[in-house]
Amino acid sequence: MDAAAYEAAVKRVEDDPEGYWRDLAKRLDWMTFPTQIKDTSFHKHPFHIRWYADGVLNVSVNCLDRHLAERGDQVAIIWESDEGDISDNFTYRRLYEETCRMANVLKAKGVKKGDRVTIYLPMIPQTAIAMLACARIGAVHSVIFGGFSPDSIAGRIQDCDSRIVITADEGLRGGKAIPLKRNVDEALEQCPDVTDVIVIKRTKADVPMKAGRDAFYADLKQGVEATCEPEPMNAEDPLFILYTSGSTGKPKGVLHTTGGYLVWASHTHELVFDYRPGEVFWCTADVGWVTGHSYVVYGPLANAATSVMFEGVPNYPTTSRFWEVIDKHKVEIFYTAPTAIRSLMREGDEPVKKTSRSTLRLLGSVGEPINPEAWLWYHRVVGDSRCPVVDTYWQTETGACLATPLPGATAMKPGSCAKPLPGIKFELVDAEGKPLHGATSGNLVITDSWPGQMRTVYGDHERFFNTYFSTYGGKYFTGDGCRRDEDGYYWITGRVDDVINVSGHRLGTAEIESALVGNENVAEAAVVGYPHDVKGQGVYCFVTLKADVTPTDILQAELKGWVRREIGPFAAPDVVQFAPGLPKTRSGKIMRRILRKIAENDLSNLGDTSTLADPAVVDDLVKNRGG
Ligand code: 6R9
C-alpha cells in the first residue's frame, strides 16, 4: 500500500463504512456471506459488538481446505526445533489431514461445538493442529502458555469449565526440558471435572499416565480418518478464549469470535507485513500469547503463507540462532519483540554479521514500546539498513494489529507506531475523558469498533463493560498512555494502569501481590514495575512480613521462587524489598506512585507525602532500596 492508497482507504471507511467492511469480509470463504455487517455500540444501553452477524463460515476451511487446490503442496508450517537438529515441513495438504485426524480424535472423545478445550503445549506443529482441529468442529480453544504454573493452569481450566486438556510429555526450550504433563497432573488435582488428557510425545520422557483419563495422541490417532466435515459456524460463534492480565483480579478470559477475528487477523497480516504469495514469514512469538495466535497460526494460514514455527529461544545454542534460522529457511519477513532485540544487541554486531540475512525484506516489532536505540540497531544491523521496520501496536483484546507504519505509505520514526490502520479511530483523552487535540499526551482510547475486537470476558460480560468502556463512557480504553506528535504520529508510552510488561509478557501487579500474600510469611505486598535494560520492565516487590517473621536473604530468595512457582518463571520478581510498612493514605490506599518512584530510584520526585498516614515509612523504604 502506498501513501495515496492509505489515504484513500482511510477516506473510504469514513464515507462508506458498510461498503469498506463488507469488502474486507470478501477475503474469506463463507458458507453464507453476511448481509449484516457492523452492529456495535460502546454505550451501556445498548452495549453490544457484533460483526458479520448472519454470516456462516469455518476458520479451518479458510486456513486449510480452500488452499488445497492450488497450494496443497506448498509448505504451510516450517517447524524448527529447539536444538536445530530437526526441521519439519508441513504442506497445506499434510496440515489439513493432520487437523482432520485431530478433529476426529476430539469428536471421538465427545467434544462438541461450543465445548472448551485447553491446550497446554510447546511450540510444536501439533499446537497449531490442535487449534485448527477445535475450529474445525466448533470447539473453543483456550491455549495456555507453556511457562505457566500448575496453579495458573488450574485457574484457567476452572474459569472456562474445560473438560479436556491437550498437552505434551515435556517441552524443550533452550536445551531445558519443561515438565508439561507433570504440571497438568498437578493442576488437575484442583480440576475434578476434567475427563480427558491427550498427551503428545515430544521428548518421549517417561510420564505418569492416569488410567481412564490420560491417553497418548499417537495411540488415539491410529486408524483415524484424514477427513472431517467442518462445522458451519456463525460469524459470532466463539473461536477462542485467551487469558490475559488486567489491573485487578484474576486474569480475564478474552473471547474472540469466528468471522471478525479471522477477517482482521488475515487482513492485517497481508497489509502490515505487505505479505506476498510464496514468502516465508516468521513470527517468533509463542502460540501461548495472542501474537502467536494471530501471526503464527491464523493470519498467515488464512493467507496461504508459509509460517515458521520456532520452538527455541534467541540465545541457544548460540546468540546467532535467530539469524541462522533466517538463513536456513530463507525468511523474508521477521517479526519479534523488543526484549529479544535488546538482549541480542548486548552481544554486539558480530553474531549477526556473520550470517547473511540476504532474504530479509521486512522487520517487525511487537509487545512493548521499542526504544529508539534498539530500533536503530535492529534496522541497521539485522536489516542491513535496507528493511523497513513495522512497530505494531495492539493487544490481546484487539485481536490483531491496530497501528503501525506501513511500508511505502508512512515514513518511519524509530519508537513510534505511526498511525492507526484504516478503520481504527484513536483518540487521546485527559483524566476526565475530555478529548485532546493536536500534539499532546493523554490516555489512548478507541472511539469505534473494528472486526477483530474481543467480544466479551468469558462468563462475565459485566466485567467486559466495566473494564474497558466505563472509564471513558462510550469509548474503548486501552490502558495505555500515549503521545501524539506534530505529524499526528502516535508514541505509546506504556500502561497507565497496574499492568506491567516484562519481556513482552503482560502481568497484573495484583496477581503477583496475591501470590505473595498467599505465602505464610507475608502480611502484605505491593508490586510495581521499574525500567529494566533488557526486559523493558522488571518486577519490584515491597513485602511486609508477619510480625514474628525475621527478614533474611534466604526468605527473599524463597519469595522469588514462590512467585515463580505460583504464576510462572517469567513472573519471578527481580527485587524483593522487605518493608516494615507500606505508604498508605489515611483511608488505607497504598500510594503506588511513591513506590514506583522508589523502584525507579527517582528519589527527588517522591511528591507530596504529607497526606500519608505515616510519612516515616517512606524514609525507611528509600534507605533500604533493593536492586
Ligand atoms: C500484542 C500484545 C498489550 C500491551 C499494550 C501495550 C504493549 C504492545 C506495543 C506495545 C508499544 C508496541 N504493546 N505492542 N507498546 N508499542 N508496538 O503484545 O498483546 O500481550 O495483550 O499486550 O503491550 O502496553 O497495551 P498483549
Side-chain angles (χ1 to χ4, degrees):
M1 184 179 266
D2 61 13
Y6 173 76
E7 291 306 332
V10 170
K11 188 166 176 332
R12 166 120 201 263
V13 70
E14 208 54 58
D15 297 346
D16 174 23
E18 270 304 280
Y20 181 85
W21 296 120
R22 177 183 298 107
D23 282 354
L24 214 54
K26 291 182 183 157
R27 58 183 305 111
L28 301 183
D29 268 10
W30 298 78
M31 297 163 181
T32 310
F33 192 80
T35 62
Q36 296 165 17
I37 304 300
K38 178 174 186 284
D39 178 16
T40 66
S41 158
F42 286 180
H43 294 276
K44 185 134 201 185
H45 303 290
F47 171 61
H48 57 257
I49 300 168
R50 287 192 284 265
W51 283 90
Y52 311 119
D54 62 346
V56 180
L57 75 167
N58 182 284
V59 164
S60 81
V61 169
N62 276 279
C63 292
L64 301 168
D65 309 40
R66 66 166 172 159
H67 307 319
L68 293 182
E70 281 180 22
R71 296 182 177 273
D73 297 325
Q74 183 200 298
V75 176
I77 292 180
I78 298 175
W79 181 66
E80 173 72 21
S81 74
D82 184 47
E83 298 278 347
D85 52 341
I86 323 170
S87 35
D88 196 0
N89 287 347
F90 280 69
T91 63
Y92 272 95
R93 188 170 320 283
R94 182 174 171 208
L95 195 63
Y96 162 82
E97 288 172 358
E98 289 298 331
T99 296
C100 287
R101 283 199 186 93
M102 178 109 53
N104 286 328
V105 166
L106 292 175
K107 269 175 137 174
K109 288 274 177 206
V111 179
K112 286 189 287 298
K113 179 174 175 174
D115 289 352
R116 279 79 53 215
V117 174
T118 295
I119 298 175
Y120 181 67
L121 284 172
M123 282 289 280
I124 53 177
Q126 287 74 15
T127 312
I129 291 166
M131 293 161 76
L132 291 163
C134 288
R136 192 153 194 96
I137 63 172
V140 182
H141 59 69
S142 162
V143 181
I144 302 177
F145 172 58
F148 277 110
S149 67
D151 263 355
S152 301
I153 302 168
R156 284 159 172 76
I157 290 176
Q158 288 161 357
D159 184 80
C160 69
D161 188 21
S162 153
R163 307 290 170 96
I164 180 156
V165 180
I166 309 176
T167 189
D169 45 9
E170 288 181 327
L172 271 185
R173 276 188 96 222
K176 289 199 228 34
I178 323 255
L180 298 177
K181 173 65 165 66
R182 217 177 64 210
N183 288 349
V184 168
D185 286 341
E186 207 177 313
L188 293 192
E189 287 169 17
Q190 304 170 52
C191 309
D193 293 338
V194 170
T195 53
D196 288 279
V197 179
I198 299 178
V199 183
I200 289 162
K201 288 182 188 166
R202 168 61 186 99
T203 62
K204 304 196 173 67
D206 205 13
V207 289
M209 299 290 281
K210 187 169 164 184
R213 188 193 70 182
D214 305 350
F216 284 112
Y217 181 61
D219 299 334
L220 298 172
K221 191 179 144 179
Q222 290 300 323
V224 168
E225 290 231 29
T227 56
C228 171
E229 268 309 299
E231 186 75 29
M233 301 295 284
N234 185 272
E236 282 299 333
D237 281 336
L239 176 65
F240 67 83
I241 301 167
L242 188 54
Y243 286 86
T244 193
S245 300
S247 38
T248 53
K250 288 187 304 175
K252 296 181 282 280
V254 168
L255 185 110
H256 283 286
T257 57
T258 300
Y261 170 79
L262 197 65
V263 166
W264 196 245
S266 73
H267 165 63
T268 54
H269 172 255
E270 183 179 350
L271 177 66
V272 171
F273 301 101
D274 183 24
Y275 183 79
R276 301 166 195 174
E279 286 188 328
V280 178
F281 177 86
W282 180 16
C283 164
T284 67
D286 193 285
V287 177
W289 306 108
V290 74
T291 309
H293 280 59
S294 301
Y295 297 115
V296 177
V297 182
Y298 290 120
L301 297 180
N303 292 338
T306 298
S307 177
V308 177
M309 194 168 185
F310 176 55
E311 186 181 35
V313 296
N315 56 2
Y316 177 85
T318 74
T319 51
S320 293
R321 183 75 168 122
F322 270 179
W323 328 122
E324 284 165 3
V325 173
I326 288 173
D327 286 346
K328 181 171 173 186
H329 298 299
K330 304 195 168 41
V331 172
E332 268 110 352
I333 304 167
F334 177 70
Y335 188 34
T336 196
T339 184
I341 299 167
R342 285 191 299 265
S343 74
L344 293 170
M345 185 170 76
R346 291 208 309 192
E347 308 291 332
D349 297 2
E350 198 269 339
V352 190
K353 288 294 175 198
K354 71 184 199 202
T355 62
S356 155
R357 289 156 291 106
S358 61
T359 50
L360 276 183
R361 180 171 79 65
L362 193 130
L363 299 171
S365 168
V366 62
E368 45 176 325
I370 180 164
N371 47 314
E373 190 195 359
W375 192 103
L376 291 167
W377 184 83
Y378 195 32
H379 182 258
R380 177 177 59 81
V381 181
V382 176
D384 282 322
S385 304
R386 67 187 156 73
C387 306
V389 176
V390 292
D391 176 0
T392 63
Y393 165 73
W394 56 292
Q395 311 176 304
T396 306
E397 294 88 338
T398 72
C401 183
L402 293 181
T404 173
L406 290 171
T410 8
M412 300 179 293
K413 296 190 189 189
S416 166
C417 64
K419 296 187 180 184
L421 296 174
I424 303 296
K425 294 180 188 150
F426 278 7
E427 192 174 270
L428 299 184
V429 297
D430 67 12
E432 278 71 52
K434 196 163 67 53
L436 302 165
H437 303 284
T440 185
S441 291
N443 299 314
L444 179 63
V445 301
I446 306 172
T447 59
D448 203 350
S449 185
W450 64 99
Q453 184 169 27
M454 72 183 280
R455 297 300 195 263
T456 193
V457 169
Y458 187 81
D460 198 346
H461 202 51
E462 191 69 15
R463 187 172 176 201
F464 178 47
F465 183 85
N466 290 338
T467 307
Y468 301 100
F469 302 92
S470 66
T471 320
Y472 303 113
K475 293 166 186 174
Y476 169 82
F477 178 37
T478 59
D480 283 305
C482 184
R483 178 169 73 83
R484 184 170 50 217
D485 70 15
E486 46 297 330
D487 298 322
Y489 273 51
Y490 289 84
W491 303 72
I492 306 292
T493 46
R495 303 288 300 202
V496 293
D497 53 11
D498 291 318
V499 170
I500 56 177
N501 195 323
V502 180
S503 300
H505 300 326
R506 224 171 115 166
L507 285 165
T509 51
E511 275 172 77
I512 306 174
E513 288 161 7
S514 126
L516 282 167
V517 294
N519 183 284
E520 57 178 5
N521 299 303
V522 175
E524 197 170 27
V527 175
V528 295
Y530 72 102
H532 187 286
D533 283 351
V534 174
K535 302 202 287 187
Q537 281 188 299
V539 180
Y540 197 118
C541 311
F542 296 89
V543 171
T544 307
L545 296 172
K546 287 189 179 151
D548 52 346
V549 180
T550 320
T552 61
D553 291 352
I554 294 170
L555 184 54
Q556 220 166 28
E558 200 179 296
L559 291 177
K560 290 182 183 176
W562 174 265
V563 175
R564 268 181 92 86
R565 278 189 306 278
E566 288 287 305
I567 302 176
F570 61 93
D574 296 276
V575 183
V576 170
Q577 175 176 351
F578 293 126
L582 295 171
K584 287 184 191 165
T585 60
R586 289 192 190 101
S587 64
K589 240 175 119 98
I590 296 175
M591 296 272 280
R592 292 167 174 283
R593 177 177 55 79
I594 294 173
L595 294 176
R596 274 189 213 111
K597 294 288 176 199
I598 295 171
E600 283 165 19
N601 204 10
D602 185 6
L603 305 175
S604 57
N605 274 315
L606 292 181
D608 184 11
T609 56
S610 63
T611 58
L612 292 175
D614 178 10
V617 299
V618 175
D619 301 334
D620 177 85
L621 293 179
V622 168
K623 203 169 77 219
N624 295 309
R625 255 194 98 256

